[in-house]
Amino acid sequence: MSLFVVDKANTSLAWQDACRKLDAPGNPKRDALHTTVHIHNAAVEDPHVRADFDQMRRERGYPLIETVANTIFPAELAAVSSTPEELVRRYRVMYPRLCRIDRGNATGTYFGRIVAYPGENGPVDQLTALIDRIRRQAAGRGPMTAAYEMGVAHPSDGLASDLAEDDHAADTDTGTWSAPVHAAGKDNGLRGFPCLSLCSFQLDRNRVLHAVAHYRSHYMVARAYGNYLGLGRLLAYLAKHAEVSPGTLTVIAGHAQIEENISALRPILRGQTRLVT
């Protein structure tokens, strides 16, 4: 299994390049360990690549890219919600029904874990807490930027780590915020949801917010493109409401694999349109 790093401008280019690296000579299973994909603006995509890939997905029975992206960030619902609090409230009302009507969501969605993480004392809203903490740090004289963490924090832990407005000497907040997805003691399956374990966010000295997402496994046909796009939209939303600028998304996968017959995918990876005009 090969290792690789991708660094591209948008989701479409990053997904294409990652798939091409997996489809390399000498890699018959088209998989790799510990892959790293950097996307400078993951909320942006190439409409031609998107249209071609969606057509292939329809033909082969996959959900559309938008459906996958919505499990991480429901863009249409966010657009008609005036505040993050309203978005959280409306999604929580919808959440049980979403889990019932789609077998793929039977154990939850990623955005559901962000706005209703299963805490010991009930659902925890990580979204508005993250926005509030990032906004307050960005408004300070020198927001913390170091990123030394392990994915062990629970979102229902107290917020005592937040610094006072004028206190940047303490070592209690490093400018890195995390949104756990995997729930210890609840998510015990060896496969399936949640493959996304953690999202962490870093605010640099120029008030630009970056994100790192950790996946235990990434299926490049079924999930990866939609996941990149959903994460990019989530990052852009957080940045907008925290009054900072969105930066780079980095996606790290413990294992990445092209799980589909490669012959249908190669024209899309080469930029050869499949649509009939």
Side-chain angles (χ1 to χ4, degrees):
M1 294 184 182
S2 59
L3 306 174
F4 65 76
V5 176
V6 167
D7 190 322
K8 292 295 180 180
N10 62 49
T11 277
S12 301
L13 295 175
W15 174 81
Q16 284 180 313
D17 195 33
C19 288
R20 284 193 292 262
K21 290 182 184 299
L22 289 168
D23 187 31
N27 187 19
K29 292 188 176 181
R30 299 183 181 87
D31 66 345
L33 296 177
H34 298 179
T35 64
T36 303
V37 177
H38 301 289
I39 312 175
H40 294 274
N41 191 342
V44 171
E45 52 184 331
D46 183 317
H48 301 293
V49 175
R50 166 71 175 268
D52 284 347
F53 191 29
D54 260 340
Q55 177 174 303
M56 192 207 89
R57 297 172 72 88
R58 289 189 191 94
E59 294 169 355
R60 295 180 173 267
Y62 288 100
L64 296 181
I65 290 167
E66 197 67 25
T67 301
V68 178
N70 279 339
T71 66
I72 294 178
F73 186 74
E76 290 187 6
L77 183 62
V80 296
S81 299
S82 58
T83 64
E85 291 81 4
E86 181 183 351
L87 173 59
V88 170
R89 185 169 58 253
R90 295 176 70 173
Y91 194 87
R92 282 185 171 187
V93 171
M94 298 168 51
Y95 193 33
R97 183 170 178 269
L98 291 175
C99 295
R100 286 196 307 269
I101 64 176
D102 188 337
R103 289 180 57 191
N105 296 335
T107 53
T109 69
Y110 294 116
F111 192 70
R113 285 293 174 88
I114 292 171
V115 301
Y117 186 87
E120 293 181 2
N121 299 315
V124 179
D125 169 18
Q126 303 183 79
L127 184 73
T128 56
L130 279 169
I131 290 170
D132 181 60
R133 298 174 78 181
I134 294 167
R135 184 193 296 118
R136 283 190 283 124
Q137 276 291 300
R141 292 178 302 177
M144 295 296 198
T145 58
Y148 306 99
E149 65 172 332
M150 296 179 66
V152 296
H154 193 285
S156 63
D157 290 342
L159 300 181
S161 61
D162 281 330
L163 299 179
E165 181 177 352
D166 295 322
D167 182 6
H168 294 285
D171 193 28
T172 54
D173 194 334
T174 62
T176 295
W177 299 271
S178 63
V181 175
H182 185 276
K186 297 178 182 289
D187 300 322
N188 299 317
L190 298 178
R191 303 181 68 177
F193 180 86
C195 286
L196 173 62
S197 300
L198 174 74
C199 293
S200 64
F201 303 89
Q202 295 76 35
L203 184 66
D204 72 20
R205 298 290 181 180
N206 296 315
R207 293 168 49 88
V208 177
L209 186 67
H210 307 277
V212 182
H214 297 260
Y215 282 83
R216 60 176 178 176
S217 182
H218 228 175
Y219 291 107
M220 300 304 296
V221 178
R223 308 297 301 183
Y225 190 113
N227 287 344
Y228 295 165
L229 185 60
L231 288 165
R233 291 171 175 175
L234 174 62
L235 174 59
Y237 184 85
L238 288 170
K240 174 184 175 180
H241 287 276
E243 302 174 7
V244 297
S245 299
T248 298
L249 168 68
T250 298
V251 179
I252 300 169
H255 177 243
Q257 181 178 21
I258 295 177
E259 73 280 14
E260 177 62 79
N261 187 322
I262 192 64
S263 61
L265 203 59
R266 280 179 176 150
I268 303 171
L269 303 183
R270 294 168 180 165
Q272 299 169 347
T273 183
R274 303 172 72 253
L275 296 178
V276 177
T277 59

